[in-house]
């Protein structure tokens, strides 16, 4: 159901001027609107409505050269610097896979998009921002000093929509699905789990049993899943940094998943946030949002694959960690790290 904002575009623009230091997401929350509606209110004032279709967007992203790719959910933000090379289009899912930018996109969720020019103390900042039907951010591309700035005006003109309204109708945000499944399904779940030969088969398993990821993790128990304390995520990042263990980190929302593969080095805690602040990779995670964490083992043709996955209090997946298993030594280091984490943080019982 479409819902129009009760706050006028004029009032949104005035609020932006009054609270110029607030981040867009925080200001949108303050005004009781979506971030997409906040951005749309500035159409004609540094903001241009553009197509949200993936094929032309990703062709444009590649032309921009080196940029920063940002994907977030309410509890975590991942930022990677690179070039949008090796895009593969798909009706239901698309992807970009290269050393620095690694994305999985779901086109149905990409509903509205804007080219944004924002004046700051450091000059004009340019970005392309995509939102879902509720006006929540799906993915953002931020230009950098090394980007192909000479391509910007032509790209915006090519992607520009005829309709340039400064209002955005949004749909009611879909509620988070809590844990789904019952204890009497455990035997069948474990039987199907033992048949896995690839981690990607897991979601098909849950659909077959009409449960979901968190429900399966709660039901299965050891040796498939082991409940950990929320602080285990913080410890994992610190230990991975200290021991130089490379990680695969997955952060996503309904429309996009962004992946980091490699080391994490500089770990900085700021209030409720724990941050990875590395060259070409930033991660910002709200530790106080983590309610449940599981170490999860799934069978693959190459042997067991172990992940650590964190959920919020409503049951939404926040972040996933896997080992980078291309080399045997990296796999051994990851498994040893998880053994340490489980020894220290298994005092939380499965729910």
């Amino acid at each position: 159901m479409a819902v129009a904002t009760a706050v006028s575009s004029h009032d949104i623009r005035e609020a932006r001027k009054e609270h110029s230091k607030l981040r867009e997401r925080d200001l949108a929350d303050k005004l009781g609107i979506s971030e997409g509606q906040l951005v749309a209110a500035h159409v004609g004032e540094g903001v241009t409505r553009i197509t949200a279709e993936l094929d032309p967007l990703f062709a444009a992203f590649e032309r921009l050269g080196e940029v920063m790719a940002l994907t977030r959910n309410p509890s975590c933000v991942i930022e990677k610097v690179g070039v949008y090379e090796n895009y593969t289009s798909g009706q239901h899912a698309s992807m970009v896979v290269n050393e620095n930018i690694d994305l999985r996109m779901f086109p149905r969720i990409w509903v509205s998009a804007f080219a944004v020019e924002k004046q700051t103390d450091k000059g004009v900042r340019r970005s392309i921002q995509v939102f879902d039907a509720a006006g929540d951010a799906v993915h953002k591309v931020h230009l950098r000093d090394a980007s192909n700035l000479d391509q910007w005006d032509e790209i915006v003109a090519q992607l520009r929509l005829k309709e340039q309204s400064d209002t955005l109708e949004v749909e009611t945000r879909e509620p988070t699905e809590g844990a789904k499944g019952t204890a009497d399904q455990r035997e069948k779940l474990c039987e199907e789990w033992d048949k896995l030969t690839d981690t990607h088969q897991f979601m098909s398993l849950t659909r077959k049993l009409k449960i979901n990821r968190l429900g399966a993790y709660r039901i299965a128990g050891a040796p498939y899943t082991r409940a950990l304390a929320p602080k285990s995520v913080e410890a994992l990042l610190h230990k991975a940094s200290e021991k130089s263990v490379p990680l695969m980190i997955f952060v996503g929302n309904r429309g996009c998943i962004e992946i980091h593969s490699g080391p994490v080095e500089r770990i900085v805690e700021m209030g409720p946030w724990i941050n990875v602040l590395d060259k070409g990779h930033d991660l910002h995670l709200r530790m106080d949002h983590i309610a449940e964490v599981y170490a999860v083992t799934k069978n693959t043709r190459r042997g067991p694959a172990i992940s650590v996955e964190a959920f919020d209090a409503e049951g939404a997946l926040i972040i996933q960690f896997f080992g980078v298993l291309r080399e045997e030594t990296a796999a051994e280091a990851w498994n040893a790290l998880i053994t340490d984490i489980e020894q220290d943080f298994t005092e939380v019982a499965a729910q």
Side-chain angles (χ1 to χ4, degrees):
M1 177 180 177
V3 179
T5 176
V7 185
S8 72
S9 296
H10 174 269
D11 288 344
I12 294 172
R13 292 192 295 269
E14 291 301 307
R16 172 75 284 177
K17 294 174 185 175
E18 182 181 352
H19 303 284
S20 60
K21 300 299 183 182
L22 269 184
R23 294 182 181 273
E24 278 76 7
R25 184 183 178 89
D26 294 335
L27 178 57
D29 288 344
K30 182 181 181 69
L31 296 174
I33 61 176
S34 71
E35 187 180 356
Q37 289 171 310
L38 176 65
V39 173
H42 293 80
V43 166
E45 297 186 3
V47 175
T48 304
R49 282 180 176 267
I50 60 174
T51 182
E53 295 182 10
L54 272 70
D55 288 359
L57 275 179
F58 279 83
F61 295 163
E62 184 171 3
R63 287 172 57 191
L64 290 171
E66 182 186 280
V67 293
M68 185 266 278
L70 184 154
T71 304
R72 72 169 302 154
N73 57 52
S75 304
C76 194
V77 185
I78 186 171
E79 303 168 5
K80 292 281 292 183
V81 174
V83 179
Y84 280 76
E85 296 174 328
N86 299 326
Y87 167 70
T88 302
S89 178
Q91 182 179 358
H92 302 294
S94 301
M95 64 178 66
V96 172
V97 181
N98 62 64
E99 183 177 357
N100 296 313
I101 305 293
D102 193 350
L103 304 170
R104 307 293 180 269
M105 299 82 67
F106 308 100
R108 179 179 65 85
I109 307 299
W110 294 49
V111 174
S112 59
F114 303 86
V116 179
E117 294 181 310
K118 182 180 179 181
Q119 186 66 50
T120 72
D121 295 339
K122 298 181 179 179
V124 177
R125 298 299 190 192
R126 297 173 176 85
S127 62
I128 292 177
Q129 305 185 20
V130 182
F131 300 90
D132 65 13
D136 292 331
V138 172
H139 188 63
K140 298 181 181 180
V141 177
H142 289 267
L143 275 66
R144 297 163 50 84
D145 291 341
S147 301
N148 298 329
L149 300 178
D150 59 325
Q151 296 284 314
W152 175 258
D153 288 340
E154 182 179 342
I155 284 172
V156 174
Q158 290 174 347
L159 298 177
R160 188 181 190 276
L161 296 178
K162 183 177 180 180
E163 173 57 52
Q164 289 294 312
S165 171
D166 65 359
T167 61
L168 180 68
E169 286 195 352
V170 298
E171 297 180 3
T172 302
R173 185 178 293 115
E174 292 188 14
T176 298
E177 181 182 66
K180 183 179 177 183
T182 57
D184 60 3
Q185 294 175 285
R186 185 179 188 276
E187 182 177 353
K188 183 62 177 177
L189 170 62
C190 295
E191 178 184 325
E192 295 295 326
W193 200 308
D194 287 336
K195 297 176 184 177
L196 294 177
T197 58
D198 189 295
T199 58
H200 296 96
Q201 297 168 352
F202 182 74
M203 296 314 295
S204 296
L205 182 161
T206 59
R207 285 192 293 270
K208 177 180 179 180
L209 299 182
K210 297 182 180 179
I211 60 179
N212 62 12
R213 181 188 299 273
L214 181 56
Y217 291 176
R218 287 185 180 180
I219 295 166
Y224 308 96
T225 65
R226 288 81 66 201
L228 305 176
K231 292 284 285 184
S232 62
V233 174
E234 179 181 347
L236 187 155
L237 286 169
H238 281 295
K239 285 179 180 289
S241 174
E242 293 163 4
K243 298 176 181 293
S244 299
V245 178
L247 304 176
M248 290 187 72
I249 303 174
F250 290 67
V251 178
N253 52 56
R254 293 173 58 245
C256 187
I257 299 169
E258 188 163 341
I259 305 162
H260 166 74
S261 299
V264 291
E265 297 173 348
R266 185 177 174 221
I267 313 299
V268 180
E269 297 181 41
M270 302 178 185
W273 295 90
I274 188 165
N275 308 276
V276 178
L277 304 177
D278 291 341
K279 182 178 179 181
H281 170 225
D282 283 9
L283 181 78
H284 312 287
L285 172 62
R286 284 285 298 257
M287 294 300 299
D288 58 331
H289 285 190
I290 296 176
E292 295 182 58
V293 181
Y294 293 89
V296 183
T297 300
K298 301 185 182 86
N299 295 327
T300 74
R301 292 182 181 87
R302 294 188 300 175
I306 305 173
S307 62
V308 172
E309 309 186 25
F311 298 80
D312 69 16
E314 295 182 348
L317 179 63
I318 297 174
I319 191 168
Q320 297 171 294
F321 300 91
F322 291 82
V324 178
L325 307 180
R326 289 188 292 268
E327 299 178 4
E328 185 175 346
T329 54
E332 291 174 353
W334 168 250
N335 290 338
L337 187 154
I338 296 305
T339 297
D340 287 347
I341 294 293
E342 290 193 41
Q343 287 176 346
D344 293 339
F345 295 95
T346 54
E347 72 273 16
V348 176
Q351 297 185 21

